[in-house]
Amino acid sequence: MTHESKQDAANGSTPEDKHLRRCIVTRHSQKREKMLRFVVSDAGVVTPDLAGRLPGRGIWLSARRDVLETARARHLFSKAAQRSVTIPDDLYERIVIGLEMRVVQVLGLARRAGQARTGFVKCREWISSGHVGLVIHDEDASPDELRRLLSGAAALPCVKLPSGTLAKAFGREHAVYAVVSRGALAQKLADAHERLTGLAGKPE
């Protein structure tokens, strides 16, 4: 059995469900893109791996703050790692900051790839063209203006970002709306946003 197969088995996954991981707290399985992965460093420190690329056996949690606190309180990281571990006091803050950075990074990738636009008029043009996969708006956006932007396309996935996040991603002083074309980057953004809002306890 390969290392990856052993890890899948340890996390409750079968070959047929290789993209699923089991939360060590809830014991529920979800797609790994919607969960939080942790690894234990050589020094024994629990480290978030939000991109899912760090080497080592993954420890998976549902993206909820209460789940994270339960794992900490019940020493489940140590049990999953089968060793003594150190949990940073600011682990929650590190995860939130990391997820916010991931949203900005993925949105920047979409912008550079020509798959994202900002500005009400440009966004509206793309929405009307029918190839938008995700609509993003600043938390300070006007509800009435947002409804006008989505006119005739209310079923489009729509996510809200903290004030200033869009502007940072597009390198502008001010940005309220953005759209991302259908595809892998739109899905990555949606997944990162879902993890962030779930962890912050702020469902849409």
Side-chain angles (χ1 to χ4, degrees), residues 32-36 50-51 63 95-107 134 136 159-162 184-200:
R32 56 190 179 187
E33 294 85 359
K34 298 183 180 296
M35 300 183 70
L36 300 174
L50 303 178
I95 299 168
V96 170
I97 291 171
L99 286 173
E100 290 176 347
M101 288 178 60
R102 183 157 176 78
V103 168
V104 171
Q105 289 168 355
V106 177
L107 190 50
L134 185 69
I136 307 168
V159 302
K160 176 175 62 178
L161 295 182
L185 290 177
Q187 188 58 55
K188 284 184 179 181
L189 274 168
D191 289 340
H193 176 265
E194 182 177 337
R195 290 191 293 172
L196 179 59
T197 54
L199 191 67

Side-chain angles (χ1 to χ4, degrees), residues 53-152:
R53 296 174 181 171
L54 293 179
R57 178 180 176 181
I59 299 173
W60 297 83
L61 292 182
S62 300
R64 288 168 26 202
R65 184 167 188 174
D66 63 319
V67 169
L68 177 65
E69 295 306 325
T70 297
R72 185 199 299 266
R74 296 183 181 175
H75 309 289
L76 297 183
F77 285 112
S78 293
K79 292 179 181 178
Q82 299 180 344
R83 61 178 290 192
S84 177
V85 303
T86 299
I87 302 176
D89 292 337
D90 63 345
L91 181 62
Y92 171 78
E93 288 77 12
R94 290 188 190 187
I95 299 168
V96 170
I97 291 171
L99 286 173
E100 290 176 347
M101 288 178 60
R102 183 157 176 78
V103 168
V104 171
Q105 289 168 355
V106 177
L107 190 50
L109 285 174
R111 176 180 59 81
R112 290 189 293 274
Q115 297 181 28
R117 283 187 177 183
T118 188
F120 186 94
V121 174
K122 291 181 179 179
C123 289
R124 182 60 198 162
E125 288 174 351
W126 266 27
I127 290 173
S128 298
S129 72
H131 70 272
V132 167
L134 185 69
V135 177
I136 307 168
H137 66 90
D138 188 275
E139 65 182 0
D140 296 327
S142 162
D144 290 338
E145 190 173 62
L146 179 60
R147 281 192 291 269
R148 290 196 297 273
L149 180 69
L150 295 172
S151 178

